[in-house]
Structures are given as structure tokens and as C-alpha cells.
Amino acid sequence: MIQIKTQEEIEQLRQSALMVGDTLAEVAKHIKAGITTKQLDAIAEEYIRSNGGIPTFKGYSGFPASLCISINEVVVHGIPGDRVIKDGDIVSIDCGVTYNGWVGDSAYTFALQGVREDWKQLIKVTKESLYLGIEKCTIGNRIGDLSNQIQTYCQSFGYGVVRELCGHGLGRNMHEDPSVPNYGKKGTGSRFREGMVIAIEPMITLGNKEVFFESDGWTCRTRDFSPAAHIEHDVAITANGPEILSSFDSVEKAIKQNINLEEI
Ligand code: MG
Ligand code: MG
């Protein structure tokens, strides 16, 4: 059942979503060749807790960390550990924060210096597809209109659109109804209603769309080992159209100031 939120509830959720953006920015300041994903996870956890939040992912269905860090051919749900980040990598970082009982959930794909141009374009197009999808989140449209927009835009570049994982409703819980796939038919699925909040998160590959899960039960990789991008925003449906509750402003400022990262 889709849970409709009041204006006050949406404002609370926004605080959580903004804390996610600030956490991603804090992490972005430290991304460089030689750092391990475990070190970045520790930075995020410290930042979230010192700001009065709870890292939503930690312990969620047994997930052991505060961030999902997914490098290159890992699409999503990479578990922070001893893997070392290298120049030329692309690194998708997904973060969840619970603050005052409301969950924010947002992700961004970072490009280390020296990244290949075609990998950079993958990130750019994934981000563009997210914003094109958000434009479809108006009252009267349906989830399928958003899904179809993301799918057709990304496929027009020959990219793979991952089917196994989707966006979702968001509220006091990280995963609420409805499911928000990145593929689908126009005119299908739930209608957007005022007060809905959803997390939209295209997961797009440079190769084909097939993925597999590693034996750890989490790590999701492309079958052809092509790189993948994952970018996520939290969006409220209002009478005036979609309102993005999360923000990449601080993230993109941090990227600009980190010489180890390339702007996309
Ligand atoms: Mg997420
Ligand atoms: Mg999500």
C-alpha cells in the first residue's frame, strides 16, 4: 500500500535526504587512489552519527556497513572492505540516513582522474536519465511513464538497463510501495498522487543488462564485467510537480575541490 505523506512529514524526510547528500560530500572529499572502501565507510558512519543520524544500511537485512560502495563492474550493494580505489575507477556510493524516524536514501557515481571517456559518458547519461525520469513525476502520470523514460533514454545510447533491482517508495522505512523500476511501459503502474515520496535510482551498464549476485548475497556485478553507474534522488510528488528532496549540491562542490576526482 502506498503511504501518502503530509507536508510536515515531507519536510522531515527532506532533512534526512539532505544529511545523506552531506554525508556523500564528506566521503567525496576523501576519495583518492589508495584509499580502501572500508576507510570511506568509516568516514560516513562517523559523519552520520556525529550529526545525530543513524546509518540506515547498517544491519539492514544483515548488511554490515553504512555505505554500499560499488566499483566499476559492481552495479550496487558492494560491501566496504579492503578493495583499494584506483585512478580511472568509477565508484558508486549509496547511503541511507534515518533522522527523526525518517529515511533518506541517495547515491552518486564518482569518477577518479584518468577515467575513460566512455565511462564518463555512462555516468553523465545515467544522471540525465534520472532527471528526465523525475520530470515525469506529475499527478496523473503513472510510474510506467517514469520507468519508460529512463529506459528509452539509456537504451538510445546502447546501454544496459538493470532489471533485478528497482527504486521504491520511501518514508519511515527505506523500502515502501510502490516499486519504481527503471524499465517499463508508458501508461502502466500506479498513478502519482500528491504526498507520494519515491526514491528513483537508475542502474545502468556500459554493456548488456545481465547481472549476477556474488556468494556474499549482496554484491551485484555485471555478467560481462562492463562498468555500471548508479545515481539516486528522493522525490516528493506535489500539486506543483516533482520536488527533489535530496541534493547533490554539496557533493558536486566536493568533487570540484578534490583534484583526484573528475567532474562529469
Ligand atoms: Mg540507495
Ligand atoms: Mg534506494
Side-chain angles (χ1 to χ4, degrees):
M1 206 185 88
I2 296 172
Q3 308 205 22
I4 296 300
K5 279 87 185 172
T6 65
Q7 194 65 47
E8 295 74 46
E9 290 172 333
I10 289 171
E11 286 313 315
Q12 297 218 31
L13 202 152
R14 190 198 308 272
Q15 299 313 310
S16 310
L18 292 176
M19 198 186 293
V20 174
D22 289 341
T23 305
L24 291 173
E26 187 61 28
V27 171
K29 290 178 193 166
H30 295 88
I31 301 176
K32 60 177 182 190
I35 199 163
T36 66
T37 53
K38 196 167 62 183
Q39 286 175 293
L40 294 179
D41 184 66
I43 290 164
E45 179 166 4
E46 161 66 22
Y47 184 86
I48 294 166
R49 293 196 192 279
S50 68
N51 282 281
I54 298 165
T56 314
F57 294 0
K58 199 158 191 177
Y60 188 91
S61 298
F63 191 79
S66 300
L67 299 176
C68 295
I69 306 183
S70 307
I71 301 176
N72 299 343
E73 77 289 348
V74 180
V75 183
V76 287
H77 298 171
I79 300 175
D82 295 326
R83 186 164 173 176
V84 173
I85 289 171
K86 303 189 309 295
D87 282 334
D89 281 348
I90 60 173
V91 183
S92 297
I93 304 186
D94 194 353
C95 180
V97 167
T98 306
Y99 183 65
N100 288 329
W102 293 91
V103 179
D105 177 18
S106 178
Y108 201 89
T109 301
F110 300 90
L112 275 282
Q113 59 177 347
V115 68
R116 284 170 49 155
E117 281 304 315
D118 54 343
W119 294 25
K120 244 164 112 165
Q121 179 176 270
L122 171 71
I123 299 173
K124 180 169 173 277
V125 169
T126 301
K127 190 172 165 191
E128 286 166 355
S129 80
L130 170 60
Y131 287 102
L132 288 170
I134 291 169
E135 284 177 18
K136 297 288 178 186
C137 298
T138 54
I139 293 165
N141 270 354
R142 293 175 182 264
I143 296 284
D145 298 310
L146 146 68
S147 305
N148 183 264
Q149 178 75 359
I150 292 173
Q151 179 184 12
T152 53
Y153 185 68
C154 292
Q155 287 182 354
S156 75
F157 291 83
Y159 296 156
V161 178
V162 173
R163 303 290 200 273
E164 281 76 1
L165 298 150
C166 298
H168 47 89
L170 188 68
R172 289 190 176 276
N173 295 299
M174 184 159 59
H175 294 120
E176 298 186 354
D177 287 336
S179 180
V180 182
N182 298 305
Y183 63 95
K185 288 193 171 65
K186 287 182 195 172
T188 63
S190 305
R191 278 187 197 283
F192 290 112
R193 282 150 53 204
E194 188 173 357
M196 277 172 70
V197 179
I198 56 173
I200 307 173
E201 46 183 317
M203 292 160 240
I204 309 299
T205 76
L206 196 58
N208 74 43
K209 66 182 190 323
E210 307 306 328
V211 298
F212 71 99
F213 291 86
E214 285 193 352
S215 56
D216 62 22
W218 289 103
T219 311
C220 173
R221 282 181 201 267
T222 54
R223 279 200 182 273
D224 61 7
F225 284 83
S226 63
H230 174 221
I231 304 187
E232 177 179 26
H233 260 322
D234 302 333
V235 177
I237 314 309
T238 79
N240 303 318
E243 196 176 322
I244 302 175
L245 304 177
S246 42
S247 170
F248 296 144
D249 289 353
S250 55
V251 174
E252 287 171 352
K253 191 174 161 210
I255 291 172
K256 261 194 198 352
Q257 292 173 349
N258 182 341
I259 53 163
N260 303 290
L261 294 176
E262 290 202 17
E263 288 181 61
I264 304 293

